Amino acid sequence: MNDQQKIYHVPALLEESIAGLAVAPAGTYVDVTFGGGGHSRAIMSHLGEGGRLYGFDQDMDAYANRIDDPRFTFVHGNFAYLANFLRYYGVEAVDGIIADLGVSFHHFDDAERGFSFRADAPLDMRMNRSAGLRASDLLANSSEEEIADLLYNYGELKQARRMAAAIAQSRATGKPVATVGQLLTVVKPFIKPAQEKKELAQVFQALRIAVNDELGALRAMLAQSLQVLRPGGRLVVITYHSLEDRLVKNFIKSGNVEGKADKDFFGRVNTPFRMVNNKVIQPDDAEVERNPRSRSAKLRIAEKV
């Protein structure tokens, strides 16, 4: 990986996830979260002349990291439309899908994107800057109840309703919450100093999830993986927080994100997947030291039956 990709993103659990993908030299694979291209480059190193890889990313900043190889295709799109894009490229089925659901270093480090509370900037948070509402638009146009719900449901914040009330009060008195600094001023009174970094991260996580409909996109991608994966194909997913991990865990166990098990006459669960790693894979101390942001990563691997 060159210096540009290192700056853009350091992939978590790289060796474990590529091993779980079990890349066949002539296979067809999809990296639905291309980013800096770390996982994609590792996949390419295992492909032969007949192999193919499609790298999805809705952020055009990732296009600069594309792989100059005829076996690779960069897809500028949201993985929520996985099946449609593959159909467009004439791909009927694939041998593996990998998703690293974490936010790239690039998004946190590019202050003007508004993903981080470390620097003042407009509250944008859009992964695709050419479409959708900014976080500032969301806070300006949502009701107090809607803001409270998203902070509680996506950030799991105990003070969600008080924060939402403060945001509504601020905008009602002519003080919009349109920048990182303005948001911090409003929510910090409801955060204990000892919990500041953790809870601010939860606030920003909640807004990011809402702005990009991350959980909706994940549900759509998982459902479509059933359509496009061949029997024996691998689904490899790295999650970073409980909301997305719960969806992935349920989906692998039951074939749906609700985790509703369909059982046969004998009480055996009918599932379209076989779990490859019965125990979730997490980074060891060496991995966390190399990449501190991988600390919360969880890797799940399944094979379509």
Side-chain angles (χ1 to χ4, degrees):
M1 187 184 298
N2 63 35
D3 289 342
Q4 183 180 5
Q5 277 82 50
K6 285 183 179 179
I7 294 171
Y8 197 101
H9 188 62
V10 178
L13 297 166
L14 179 61
E15 293 182 7
E16 295 88 345
S17 58
I18 300 304
L21 203 56
V23 179
T28 300
Y29 295 88
V30 184
D31 179 352
V32 297
T33 49
F34 179 72
H39 286 104
S40 281
R41 284 178 168 76
I43 294 169
M44 292 293 294
S45 70
H46 292 276
L47 289 180
E49 290 185 7
R52 292 288 300 172
L53 174 63
Y54 295 83
F56 280 63
D57 207 299
Q58 62 182 318
D59 189 344
M60 273 304 289
D61 285 1
Y63 182 70
N65 305 319
R66 67 193 182 282
I67 301 170
D68 185 14
D69 190 301
R71 299 169 297 169
F72 175 79
T73 300
F74 180 85
V75 182
H76 178 219
N78 190 317
F79 60 51
Y81 308 106
L82 171 66
N84 285 345
F85 277 110
L86 291 179
R87 193 178 303 117
Y88 172 80
Y89 285 102
V91 179
E92 295 182 0
V94 303
D95 298 286
I97 298 169
I98 186 169
D100 180 358
L101 301 177
V103 180
S104 293
F105 287 20
H106 170 73
H107 293 116
F108 287 124
D109 294 339
D110 186 354
E112 70 177 30
R113 301 291 293 270
F115 282 95
S116 172
F117 54 82
R118 296 178 305 182
D120 197 12
L123 278 174
D124 192 322
M125 296 195 189
R126 292 172 300 165
M127 293 292 186
N128 181 356
R129 286 191 281 185
S130 63
L133 295 176
R134 298 170 176 83
S136 56
D137 299 324
L138 199 67
L139 293 178
N141 300 314
S142 300
S143 69
E144 179 181 329
E145 183 177 2
E146 288 170 335
I147 295 171
D149 286 345
L150 76 86
L151 289 174
Y152 183 78
N153 292 328
Y154 299 152
E156 301 177 296
L157 289 151
K158 294 179 180 178
Q159 298 294 329
R161 302 219 169 274
R162 295 179 69 189
M163 289 179 179
I167 290 169
Q169 177 65 22
S170 183
R171 71 189 185 190
T173 56
K175 298 176 182 177
V177 183
T179 68
V180 171
Q182 289 166 343
L183 178 60
L184 295 182
T185 298
V186 172
V187 301
K188 273 189 175 182
F190 308 103
I191 296 175
K192 294 179 181 179
Q195 297 292 317
E196 184 171 284
K197 286 186 178 180
K198 178 177 181 289
E199 294 195 13
L200 284 178
Q202 290 172 271
V203 170
F204 278 68
Q205 171 186 293
L207 288 172
R208 192 196 75 230
I209 289 174
V211 166
N212 297 288
D213 188 23
E214 292 182 17
L215 299 183
L218 177 58
R219 291 186 187 97
M221 185 274 288
L222 291 173
Q224 290 167 59
S225 72
L226 286 175
Q227 301 174 36
V228 303
L229 275 173
R230 291 189 177 94
R234 294 286 180 92
L235 176 65
V236 176
V237 186
I238 304 170
T239 64
Y240 293 85
H241 57 76
S242 61
L243 300 174
E244 59 192 14
D245 187 59
R246 189 178 304 120
L247 296 179
V248 175
K249 181 181 179 180
N250 286 345
F251 182 75
I252 290 174
K253 283 189 172 182
S254 65
N256 60 78
V257 295
E258 293 81 18
K260 296 178 181 177
D262 176 30
K263 297 182 180 180
D264 64 16
F265 179 79
F266 300 100
R268 294 172 299 199
V269 176
N270 291 319
T271 175
F273 290 103
R274 175 185 72 84
M275 289 185 287
V276 175
N277 59 325
N278 290 321
K279 186 177 180 181
V280 66
I281 298 172
Q282 295 179 275
D284 58 19
D285 291 342
E287 167 94 0
V288 173
E289 184 175 354
R290 178 184 70 88
N291 181 5
R293 289 177 179 170
S294 72
R295 185 182 305 277
S296 59
K298 293 182 178 181
L299 170 63
R300 298 185 187 274
I301 305 165
E303 181 177 280
K304 187 178 178 184
V305 296

